[in-house]
Amino acid sequence: MSNIRGRFAPTPSGMMHLGNAWAALLAWLQIRKQNGQFVLRMEDIDGPRCRPELAEQALADLRWLGLDWDEGPDVGGPYAPYTQSERIHLYGAAMEKLLQSGQLYPCYCSRAELHAIASAPHGLSAEGPAYPDTCRLLTAEERQERQVHKDPSLRFRTDEERPILFNDGIAGIQHFPPGAGGDFVVRRADGIVSYQLAVVVDDAAMGITDVLRGGDLLDSTPRQLMLYDALGLQAPRFAHIPLLLGEDGKRLAKRHGDTSLAGLKAAGVRSEQIIGWLAYLAGQLERFEPVAASELIHCFDLTRIPTESITIHDTLMKRLFN
């Protein structure tokens, strides 16, 4: 059996849509082509935004597309549980390790103060403006004084001397300057653990070797690589696929029509139409034609996937719907 392990990790805060299907299909094909193990993980760590019924719907939608998984919330596996809300103790242990090594510090900045930073130049485009180290430089006395008025978040102290360099499987060589994006939050003031920390802990614990995900997360990779290094964990290989955009240049969403998988199914669209359409966009088919996901495994080629965002014109959408 191959030691290649990949995953798809949806957040059950909304209905699965074409953008989710795009990432899920390509991540699945990458691993199945290499006879690897494919893991499904539910990233529901932000409890107020996530709903159990949406998690169930996501499983149903993926099965309708013809995708399967070797480990997951419904089938179990050696690294269970596969739902983030049941893995909180693992994130706590990681934060304790980072605290002991001096990598974390409390941040007392209010939302208003952080909003004011928004006018500053962005360090990482998808991650917002770089944090200006306001609380990094506080003395013990100043921290104690602020603690009286506000519960702090916890920020990771980035390395300000070493640049981040990695080879992305689709985007190519990526170079980020030292401290890219500034110090970042790993636990919010309300106690919710950040995506950055949770995804690193989970991917490492589950032995994930290959992560294929949307290009909007490319800028998150430097921060995650810093966490892998600080925790002494092995980082996976990364490949970031281009985003699907509407004609207005914005990410494909409800404003471009009902792009939810459940909605398309209800409208009579067959899953093979969606798979064939996405495979065509990904350069895996020379022309658009209905096809089952399993039929694409033998010919899948990561190098054929475009590197630039893909604009979905209305005429192309109509080819899917008709």
Side-chain angles (χ1 to χ4, degrees):
M1 181 183 294
S2 170
N3 62 357
I4 298 296
R5 291 175 58 80
R7 50 77 165 174
F8 179 62
T11 298
S13 59
M15 297 290 282
M16 290 276 289
H17 52 74
L18 287 174
N20 300 129
W22 166 250
L25 173 64
L26 297 180
W28 183 83
L29 287 172
Q30 181 195 36
I31 301 306
R32 291 293 183 238
K33 176 66 179 290
Q34 301 177 81
N35 296 312
Q37 299 291 295
F38 193 65
V39 177
L40 181 67
R41 184 174 68 234
M42 203 58 63
E43 298 197 336
D44 65 341
I45 198 167
D46 193 345
R49 294 178 56 241
C50 298
R51 289 155 45 194
E53 63 270 23
L54 291 175
E56 289 296 322
Q57 183 65 51
L59 299 182
D61 289 339
L62 291 169
R63 285 200 189 90
W64 177 65
L65 289 175
L67 307 184
D68 63 351
W69 44 94
D70 304 290
E71 303 167 26
D74 56 336
V75 298
Y79 302 101
Y82 293 90
T83 300
Q84 280 191 336
S85 58
E86 300 176 41
R87 301 174 62 81
I88 301 297
H89 63 287
L90 296 173
Y91 314 139
M95 282 189 287
E96 184 59 33
K97 184 174 182 178
L98 293 173
L99 281 167
Q100 292 297 324
S101 64
Q103 292 286 162
L104 302 184
Y105 64 87
C107 174
Y108 303 92
C109 292
S110 65
R111 286 188 178 183
E113 290 170 317
L114 294 174
H115 183 71
I117 300 171
S119 60
H122 286 204
L124 295 175
S125 59
E127 295 291 341
Y131 183 67
D133 295 346
T134 305
C135 292
R136 185 185 207 184
L137 308 176
L138 294 179
T139 64
E141 292 75 15
E142 288 172 324
R143 288 176 180 170
Q144 189 173 10
E145 181 181 338
R146 293 200 176 198
Q147 180 76 43
V148 175
H149 305 286
K150 186 181 185 304
D151 291 329
S153 60
L154 287 178
R155 284 188 184 272
F156 180 82
R157 194 185 302 271
T158 59
D159 188 334
E160 297 183 312
E161 297 182 0
R162 189 172 51 168
I164 299 291
L165 181 71
F166 66 95
N167 187 10
D168 188 85
I170 294 173
I173 299 294
Q174 301 295 306
H175 184 277
F176 292 85
D183 297 349
F184 56 93
V185 171
V186 297
R187 191 200 68 194
R188 294 179 353 196
D190 61 6
I192 293 179
V193 177
S194 77
Y195 160 76
Q196 306 291 4
L197 180 67
V199 74
V200 165
V201 170
D202 287 341
D203 281 346
M206 294 178 181
I208 301 301
T209 61
D210 292 83
V211 171
L212 185 150
R213 59 190 182 183
D216 54 324
L217 293 171
L218 181 62
D219 282 351
S220 288
T221 309
R223 294 180 169 184
Q224 291 168 20
L225 289 173
M226 289 183 226
L227 286 170
Y228 276 110
D229 186 58
L231 291 167
L233 301 173
Q234 178 65 45
R237 293 176 288 266
F238 291 97
H240 290 84
I241 57 175
L243 298 179
L244 301 184
L245 307 178
E247 287 190 305
D248 57 0
K250 297 179 180 179
R251 194 186 312 187
L252 206 61
K254 287 182 179 179
R255 59 181 165 270
H256 303 111
D258 187 359
T259 64
S260 74
L261 299 182
L264 293 173
K265 180 182 179 182
V269 177
R270 294 166 50 219
S271 61
E272 292 83 0
Q273 289 174 271
I274 294 175
I275 296 296
W277 185 73
L278 294 174
Y280 169 68
L281 294 178
Q284 306 304 308
L285 293 176
E286 292 185 1
R287 62 182 182 278
F288 168 59
E289 57 183 330
V291 65
S294 58
E295 296 178 73
L296 297 167
I297 295 174
H298 71 284
C299 62
F300 178 72
D301 186 345
L302 195 69
T303 64
R304 292 199 205 122
I305 297 176
T307 57
E308 300 296 328
S309 297
I310 300 171
T311 300
I312 309 301
H313 298 283
D314 289 343
T315 53
L316 195 55
M317 287 289 284
K318 288 175 182 176
R319 291 178 67 182
L320 172 62
F321 296 136
N322 298 328

